[in-house]
Amino acid sequence: MTAAAEGSPPLRMTRARRNALLQSEPVQGFALISPTFLYALILLVLPILVVIAHSFWTQNYLTIDRTFTLENYRIALTEPIYRDLLWRSLYISLTVSFLTVVLAYPIAYFISFHGGRLKSLWLFLITIPFWTSYLLRVMSWKVILGYNGVLNSGLIGLGIIDEPSTALLYNSSAVIITLTHAWAAFAILPIFVSLEKIDRTLVEAATDLGDGPFRSFLRVTLPLSAPGIISAALIVMIPTVGDYVTPKLVGGKDGVMIANAIQAQFGKASNWPLGAALSVTTMLVVTLMAGVTVLVIRAAQRLAR
């Protein structure tokens, strides 16, 4: 029978023995494993495990076809749905560019020729709407054009319509209105800079030679401000072709643009090759359209002379 069984007092670890145990090599080695070391080890091993798992999943569940083909470009150019979306995007973009320049030119002209000492203040006021998020401005137009929105309420109050109209929202017209407002300042500023560079003595000379205000504007001011018009048109046209947020929020099924189709291919459809083909096709078409726009404006400038 042992001493413990006979009721002897339990053994206690003395302080000297505890210190000797803590100073032993295995315990000291375990104490060196600090939390920082563990975190570093995890950060080092985790990417390796992710790469191994991805390689295993790719080899067993995915088959990547690397055969060179132009089939996706054929689909992007000939498939009716993608062709119609591209043409709709070009139509909306050109319409927005035209309306924006037409609305921006009188404002820029007034600030440049009649702003006087308040030019900086007018430019400051123009930029105020852009202090807010683009998304908030689009949502505000959704409220304005909505079924119970400000515009419908105003038309009912004036007696123009008897009940709210559903034709103001979720169509291409809503997209055009929203984009025209959103890009107005980007058209005003380059036109203003171009008008500021015009020598005022040329306008005075045209007036002295018998030209009235309208004729001197057509023969002097408008041709000399053509670089600003071209810049404004391109600044508005190129980004609006690929706009995604505006048709998503206010376009509905009738206002869907090519960017929404591209996002769908990279998202839910998981057809990245077709999405890339649509992107490249849109980029080439926009480049061609921008070149044609520049040539048309320059031709109009030569005829005006």
Side-chain angles (χ1 to χ4, degrees), residues 86-87 90 94 234 237-238 280-296:
L86 181 58
W87 283 116
L90 296 177
L94 288 174
L234 294 179
M237 180 181 62
I238 294 174
V280 173
T281 303
T282 304
M283 181 181 65
L284 294 177
V285 173
V286 170
T287 303
L288 179 62
M289 187 175 64
V292 172
T293 302
V294 173
L295 294 177
V296 169

Side-chain angles (χ1 to χ4, degrees), residues 144 148-161:
I144 294 172
N148 295 319
V150 178
L151 188 56
N152 270 322
S153 300
L155 294 176
I156 292 175
L158 294 174
I160 299 177
I161 58 177

Side-chain angles (χ1 to χ4, degrees), residues 60-75:
N60 290 274
Y61 297 99
L62 287 181
T63 302
I64 300 176
D65 186 4
R66 303 182 184 274
T67 305
F68 179 79
T69 178
L70 298 177
E71 179 64 18
N72 291 306
Y73 287 95
R74 185 195 67 79
I75 295 175

Side-chain angles (χ1 to χ4, degrees), residues 173-252:
S173 299
V175 177
I176 291 172
I177 294 172
T178 306
L179 289 176
T180 301
H181 170 262
W183 291 92
F186 294 96
I188 293 173
L189 295 178
I191 295 176
F192 169 78
V193 172
S194 181
L195 290 171
E196 281 291 286
K197 294 180 179 180
I198 296 177
D199 189 357
R200 298 302 192 264
T201 58
L202 297 176
V203 181
E204 295 176 358
T207 303
D208 294 339
L209 293 174
D211 283 346
F214 183 73
R215 188 177 178 86
S216 63
F217 170 77
L218 291 178
R219 298 183 63 181
V220 178
T221 306
L222 186 60
L224 293 178
S225 62
I229 296 175
I230 295 175
S231 300
L234 294 179
I235 288 173
V236 175
M237 180 181 62
I238 294 174
T240 52
V241 173
D243 193 280
Y244 167 77
V245 176
T246 305
K248 183 73 173 179
L249 295 178
V250 301

Side-chain angles (χ1 to χ4, degrees), residues 99-160:
L99 293 177
T100 305
V101 171
V102 170
L103 295 176
Y105 197 97
I107 299 174
Y109 183 88
F110 171 80
I111 297 173
S112 179
F113 283 85
H114 304 285
R117 297 179 180 179
L118 300 178
K119 290 181 180 180
S120 300
L121 177 61
W122 283 112
L123 294 176
F124 173 76
L125 294 175
I126 289 172
T127 59
I128 285 179
F130 296 88
W131 294 3
T132 59
S133 171
Y134 178 79
L135 182 61
L136 292 178
R137 282 180 278 141
V138 175
M139 292 299 295
S140 66
W141 275 106
K142 188 175 182 179
V143 174
I144 294 172
L145 300 174
Y147 185 78
N148 295 319
V150 178
L151 188 56
N152 270 322
S153 300
L155 294 176
I156 292 175
L158 294 174
I160 299 177

